[in-house]
Amino acid sequence: MTYCVAMRLRSGLLFASDTRTNAGVDHIASFRKMYQFQIPHQREIVILAAGNLATTQSVLSLLNARLNGEGEHLLNVPSLYDGAVLLGRTLKEVVARDSGGGMQSQGVDFGANFLLGGQIRGEGPRLFHVYPQGNFIEATEDTPYFQIGESKYGKPIIDRVINYETTPLDEAAKCTLVSFDSTIRSNLSVGLPIDMLMLRANQFEQAMKPPHRIGRDDPYFLSLRDGWSKGLRKVFDELPNEPWFDN
């Protein structure tokens, strides 16, 4: 299992992913799940992946291998919508090849979820969730974020904090790390390090920065984890006890 989050806010885009994969408690490894595609000053595209590792790696290998071909690829699609169509089509191609046509074969789930976001000059920042079946939805101002993987533990804090209009990227990053900490505490299949990348709206770079990697000894993450835990405990202690039982 894994945990990935992406947000589309008025101030820009944020992407974050853990790096843990597991096939049981005795087979745990680390693989990056964030991938970048860029033409300087023209387009910046980021993909996050969760699900069957063989499927996600095959999809990304095909997308990269076709960048130098004459057909449609991520560096020449006219819009992010067309990029989502291409990603969904490639996902269906890989699943059909490896599973014999179905999503499952011999008890193996070949499915995968992807988050694709970024900006192509001429349109605003966009974000899509591509499902295992190859179809997808787009983030809106009412629903400005997507999660894939082990999402339930880290969802409440995002729902309470994130607002498309008013949340700046630095606060979104803080909220996202609290979301990851909540997930890591409650699920062993999600773990550090965390990769995080932020893209400010309409600020195309000469070269996209690599994601910032947050490891086990990262001082900011450790202070955030400690402060959040103590703050929750303090607020909990200050809440009144129930009034309907005798002391």
Side-chain angles (χ1 to χ4, degrees):
M1 186 56 76
T2 188
Y3 180 41
C4 300
V5 179
M7 302 178 182
R8 183 182 73 91
L9 308 171
R10 181 167 293 282
S11 53
L13 294 145
L14 180 144
F15 304 88
S17 60
D18 84 320
T19 54
R20 178 171 292 182
T21 63
N22 73 292
V25 295
D26 59 347
H27 190 183
I28 296 174
S30 292
F31 289 89
R32 74 184 182 103
K33 301 160 189 176
M34 182 182 299
Y35 306 86
Q36 299 169 257
F37 301 83
Q38 184 202 28
I39 296 177
H41 307 298
Q42 200 267 341
R43 67 182 60 205
E44 297 173 338
I45 300 174
V46 179
I47 294 177
L48 305 180
N52 184 291
L53 184 61
T55 298
T56 60
Q57 288 189 341
S58 289
V59 169
L60 269 299
S61 293
L62 283 175
L63 291 174
N64 276 295
R66 292 166 178 172
L67 292 178
N68 297 319
E70 295 183 356
E72 188 177 54
H73 53 72
L74 287 176
L75 297 184
N76 67 12
V77 290
S79 70
L80 258 297
Y81 176 91
D82 295 292
V85 172
L86 175 63
L87 176 55
R89 188 166 65 236
T90 307
L91 173 57
K92 290 174 66 176
E93 175 187 348
V94 169
V95 171
R97 180 198 69 193
D98 293 349
S99 69
M103 195 63 66
Q104 294 195 359
S105 177
Q106 298 180 350
V108 177
D109 184 359
F110 288 88
N113 284 267
F114 293 88
L115 302 181
L116 178 146
Q119 187 172 9
I120 294 175
R121 190 171 292 279
E123 64 177 9
R126 303 179 76 175
L127 174 64
F128 297 87
H129 178 179
V130 180
Y131 292 104
Q133 295 78 14
N135 57 336
F136 54 85
I137 59 174
E138 183 172 5
T140 65
E141 295 181 11
D142 293 324
T143 305
Y145 76 91
F146 291 133
Q147 301 166 288
I148 53 177
E150 192 57 72
S151 60
K152 57 182 175 292
Y153 303 105
K155 190 176 189 298
I157 179 64
I158 297 178
D159 284 337
R160 285 184 168 94
V161 171
I162 296 301
N163 180 279
Y164 171 82
E165 291 286 350
T166 61
T167 305
L169 283 177
D170 55 352
E171 287 190 8
K174 178 170 60 176
C175 175
T176 298
L177 289 178
V178 171
S179 174
F180 268 85
D181 177 55
S182 300
T183 304
I184 290 169
R185 282 179 177 271
S186 299
N187 192 299
L188 292 175
S189 68
V190 177
L192 296 164
I194 300 165
D195 290 331
M196 180 175 285
L197 180 68
M198 291 183 281
L199 299 177
R200 300 194 181 278
N202 305 311
Q203 294 186 16
F204 295 92
E205 303 289 344
Q206 173 62 31
M208 286 178 72
K209 296 178 181 178
H212 176 68
R213 176 152 287 192
I214 300 158
R216 193 172 304 277
D217 299 322
D218 184 271
Y220 176 71
F221 184 72
L222 290 175
S223 66
L224 196 69
R225 166 179 277 181
D226 183 61
W228 180 250
S229 295
K230 290 179 179 177
L232 280 178
R233 186 72 227 186
K234 181 177 183 296
V235 171
F236 179 81
D237 289 341
E238 292 173 352
L239 292 172
N241 292 330
E242 43 71 30
W244 53 84
F245 287 122
D246 293 332
N247 292 328

